[in-house]
Amino acid sequence: MPIRTSSLPLLKEFFYNSQKSFSHMTDLINTEKDLVVSLKDYIKAEESKLEQIKKWAEKLDQLTDTATKDPEGFLGHPVNAFKLMKRLNTEWGELENLVLKDMSDGFISNMTIQRQFFPNDEDQTGAAKALLRLQDTYNLDTDTLSRGNLPGVKHKSFLTAEDCFELGKIAYTEADYYHTELWMEQALKQLDEGEVSSADKVYILDYLSYAVYQQGDLSKAVMLTKRLLELDPEHQRANGNMKYFEYIMAKEKEANKSSTESEDQAEKETEVKKKDYLPERRKYEMLCRGEGLKMTPRRQKRLFCRYYDGNRNPRYILGPVKQEDEWDKPRIVRFLDIISDEEIETVKELAKPRLSRATVHDPETGKLTTAHYRVSKSAWLSGYESPVVSRINTRIQDLTGLDVSTAEELQVANYGVGGQYEPHFDFARKDEPDAFKELGTGNRIATWLFYMSDVSAGGATVFPEVGASVWPKKGTAVFWYNLFPSGEGDYSTRHAACPVLVGNKWVSNKWLHERGQEFRRPCTLSELE
């Protein structure tokens, strides 16, 4: 029986996130709608209650006006005397009970039930980090992101000054002063433009001046602190910072640094300002934006599309599938119309109840663990639990010619906005000899990846080593070998799932292993063949 595991970690990466799956986010939309209905019911109940009290007050106002003008004459009527006793003894008590009646019981009860499904502080922080990750990966300026001017959006939304302030604060708690500056400046800009907000300029300037100082821009920090003190001359921290900044500036002036040293210092400040990404990181982000290396015309001529029968597989001789080459080295092929909409929906429905934060295999501990570089929700499906999954497994075997009995279970993954999987290898390297020891099926020889949704923007599968970008297209699948026939790892297959900028990405993958492939893909004498 296939055993569940997960992909291997890579070297240190930059971003992490606690990410709810898109299906869970959809449930939260429905939860919020239910709460709005409940809140409106509560408002109606309160309005009805107030209407009753209002009618009572109007009636008694008129009655007491008449009675107080001629109390003796009014009480001279025996009915009036009786009704006064009745009102004060009974009816005012009933009114008191009505005023004290709590109409919020239904709403509070519903809130209590639904609260267990609410996101927590970690989820909110994760959503903020997803926005910052998208900003970096897709080179989005804060104003564009704040105004919601993103490609492919159906429901445009914008960030308030308070939202921008919250993003800046989250970056600040991570000592990410680069993003703190960007978002505090955006919050300040929107307030300066006249936006009405609960965000306070004094608080924004306090964060902003410190973030700027931490990045080495002392003159700007002084300017911002002066502006803060104009708004709040008694601000204790700002006054203290101002004295310190002036002391530092005077000290630098006295030092009379040489022009060479000044240039060096300026360069250092610029370096701090910019994110210090590794070369691979830059390649990865460029590929995610569609700015990767372009294949030469000569290489492009070697890429073809064809009808493929799985090397004369009986199931596909009369009905071959459409196949096209995505890349030459490593060879990446895409199968078109290879999974139906009905099959996709079945797989998604089977997976949804089991979706949990995707894990990776830690070679040091031998255990599955969450990782900051993989932000998605995943579930595992076995062939024996559904004829659809069994049929999909058979299809993979027929078209790859590889034995799926030693493969891992079908993994279904859902990437919401900001969901990603940073550059990694699917196979175990030589320094991880025990990575798949518990499976007893050898290394991961190949990867089959279904795209089960279209993505409005972002979400490409990219190969930074070679400059390949493969874009999601619903109903298709891509396939590549992770190992050479010799069993050596193909390091050019290092790949990543780019963050989803707009939309929702569903994929499912099958990792095929070495055992059982001895005669299906024989070993060669050359190490790199």
Side-chain angles (χ1 to χ4, degrees):
M1 182 188 303
I3 302 174
R4 173 184 353 186
T5 184
S6 190
S7 191
L8 300 166
L10 62 164
L11 298 175
K12 271 188 185 176
E13 296 293 351
F14 291 88
F15 298 100
Y16 59 94
N17 184 359
S18 174
Q19 173 88 3
K20 288 190 176 295
S21 73
F22 211 80
S23 60
H24 289 166
M25 297 283 279
T26 304
D27 292 339
L28 289 179
I29 289 287
N30 295 327
T31 295
E32 190 169 43
K33 176 63 177 175
D34 183 54
L35 286 174
V36 170
V37 171
S38 181
L39 180 61
K40 289 171 77 172
D41 289 342
Y42 162 64
I43 293 170
K44 285 180 182 177
E46 287 285 9
E47 287 175 341
S48 175
K49 170 183 161 181
L50 287 171
E51 189 62 32
Q52 292 179 62
I53 296 170
K54 184 179 177 183
K55 287 179 180 178
W56 172 264
E58 288 172 350
K59 183 181 75 172
L60 287 183
D61 185 41
Q62 190 176 9
L63 187 65
T64 52
D65 274 351
T66 304
T68 52
K69 287 175 183 176
D70 181 13
E72 291 184 8
F74 184 81
L75 292 173
H77 196 304
V79 172
N80 285 340
F82 165 73
K83 292 188 74 173
L84 176 63
M85 296 300 105
K86 178 175 176 288
R87 279 198 305 275
L88 292 173
N89 182 54
T90 305
E91 294 179 13
W92 274 101
E94 292 173 352
L95 179 63
E96 180 183 21
N97 290 335
L98 177 60
V99 171
L100 293 173
K101 185 177 180 182
D102 190 353
M103 311 303 290
S104 66
D105 286 351
F107 174 68
I108 296 301
S109 175
N110 194 18
M111 275 283 289
T112 303
I113 293 169
Q114 300 288 8
R115 194 179 296 280
Q116 62 183 310
F117 306 113
F118 281 16
N120 54 28
D121 289 344
E122 185 185 4
D123 293 317
Q124 183 176 335
T125 300
K129 288 176 180 175
L131 278 178
L132 301 184
R133 181 165 56 246
L134 291 172
Q135 181 180 15
D136 285 346
T137 303
Y138 295 105
N139 267 352
L140 302 172
D141 62 75
T142 48
D143 195 62
T144 297
L145 205 50
S146 176
R147 300 186 189 284
N149 296 324
L150 301 177
V153 292
K154 292 182 180 178
H155 309 284
K156 190 175 179 179
S157 185
F158 62 91
L159 294 171
T160 63
E162 188 179 0
D163 294 331
C164 296
F165 178 56
E166 286 300 318
L167 283 169
K169 280 203 300 183
I170 288 170
Y172 180 86
T173 58
E174 298 292 317
D176 179 1
Y177 300 116
Y178 172 76
H179 284 109
T180 303
E181 179 186 358
L182 291 179
W183 287 103
M184 290 300 174
E185 282 188 335
Q186 182 64 28
L188 196 60
K189 176 187 174 186
Q190 292 181 203
L191 289 179
D192 288 343
E193 290 173 351
E195 182 180 318
V196 178
S197 172
S198 59
D200 190 329
K201 284 187 180 182
V202 171
Y203 284 113
I204 294 170
L205 286 164
D206 192 15
Y207 279 101
L208 181 54
S209 60
Y210 185 76
V212 168
Y213 164 69
Q214 284 291 335
Q215 296 180 88
D217 194 342
L218 192 57
S219 58
K220 185 175 180 180
V222 169
M223 181 268 291
L224 292 167
T225 306
K226 285 180 178 178
R227 184 177 175 187
L228 191 163
L229 289 171
E230 288 174 4
L231 297 172
D232 184 3
E234 304 302 318
H235 197 285
Q236 188 174 354
R237 186 167 46 251
N239 278 301
N241 287 346
M242 195 66 190
K243 290 177 182 177
Y244 177 71
F245 293 157
E246 288 172 346
Y247 167 75
I248 294 295
M249 290 179 78
K251 197 173 178 182
E252 287 181 355
K253 193 173 182 180
E254 287 172 13
N256 239 344
K257 292 183 178 179
S258 68
S259 59
T260 304
E261 290 175 331
S262 297
E263 288 171 5
D264 290 344
Q265 177 65 21
E267 286 175 7
K268 287 178 183 176
E269 289 175 3
T270 305
E271 285 172 5
V272 174
K273 275 276 195 183
K274 295 177 181 177
K275 278 288 184 183
D276 182 22
Y277 293 127
L278 296 173
E280 180 182 66
R281 182 78 198 181
R282 287 198 293 269
K283 289 181 191 174
Y284 160 63
E285 292 181 345
M286 288 178 66
L287 289 169
C288 289
R289 295 192 295 268
E291 300 171 2
L293 298 171
K294 302 299 179 185
M295 189 179 283
T296 62
R298 185 176 180 180
R299 286 177 65 188
Q300 285 180 339
K301 287 179 180 179
R302 292 200 290 263
L303 302 182
F304 296 94
C305 57
R306 65 190 66 82
Y307 283 101
Y308 183 68
D309 62 11
N311 291 323
R312 305 292 294 170
N313 185 288
R315 289 190 180 91
Y316 294 100
I317 290 175
L318 294 180
V321 298
K322 289 178 279 187
Q323 184 193 73
E324 62 183 23
D325 298 326
E326 286 282 348
W327 205 257
D328 54 352
K329 290 183 180 180
R331 185 168 187 248
I332 306 168
V333 295
R334 187 194 293 261
F335 293 89
L336 287 77
D337 302 321
I338 202 61
I339 184 170
S340 67
D341 289 348
E342 292 76 15
E343 289 173 326
I344 288 172
E345 289 309 310
T346 299
V347 169
K348 285 165 63 174
E349 290 307 312
L350 288 170
K352 281 178 182 178
R354 311 182 202 180
L355 288 173
S356 59
R357 178 74 187 271
T359 55
V360 298
H361 188 281
D362 188 335
E364 293 182 7
T365 64
K367 297 179 180 178
L368 293 174
T369 181
T370 58
H372 60 259
Y373 50 82
R374 189 175 195 188
V375 186
S376 64
K377 295 278 185 175
S378 66
W380 301 81
L381 304 179
S382 297
Y384 63 81
E385 61 186 299
S386 167
V388 171
V389 178
S390 178
R391 187 164 68 244
I392 288 171
N393 288 341
T394 301
R395 187 175 307 152
I396 294 171
Q397 177 166 298
D398 290 342
L399 293 173
T400 63
L402 299 176
D403 187 352
V404 297
S405 65
T406 58
E408 296 170 47
E409 294 174 354
L410 186 71
Q411 183 184 215
V412 182
N414 180 213
Y415 296 81
V417 172
Q420 64 165 12
Y421 193 176
E422 292 192 356
H424 63 282
F425 298 105
D426 281 350
F427 64 91
R429 274 78 72 212
K430 288 181 178 180
D431 58 349
E432 300 163 338
D434 298 329
F436 302 115
K437 187 176 181 180
E438 73 275 16
L439 298 182
T441 55
N443 211 342
R444 287 175 175 164
I445 191 173
T447 297
W448 177 285
L449 177 65
F450 284 112
Y451 292 113
M452 302 198 300
S453 66
D454 292 313
V455 180
S456 300
T461 305
V462 299
F463 296 73
E465 292 295 314
V466 296
S469 297
V470 180
W471 297 91
K473 185 177 180 183
K474 186 178 181 181
T476 70
V478 290
F479 173 77
W480 67 86
Y481 280 104
N482 298 306
L483 306 179
F484 292 110
S486 62
E488 290 295 318
D490 184 350
Y491 284 80
S492 67
T493 61
R494 185 169 171 83
H495 60 285
C498 295
V500 175
L501 178 58
V502 178
N504 174 24
K505 179 182 175 184
W506 282 90
V507 298
S508 58
N509 66 278
K510 194 81 171 171
W511 282 307
L512 299 111
H513 283 250
E514 290 178 291
R515 298 294 175 267
Q517 322 304 346
E518 291 84 358
F519 297 104
R520 292 172 180 260
R521 193 188 191 222
C523 182
T524 61
L525 297 177
S526 172
E527 188 176 294
L528 298 180
E529 287 183 2

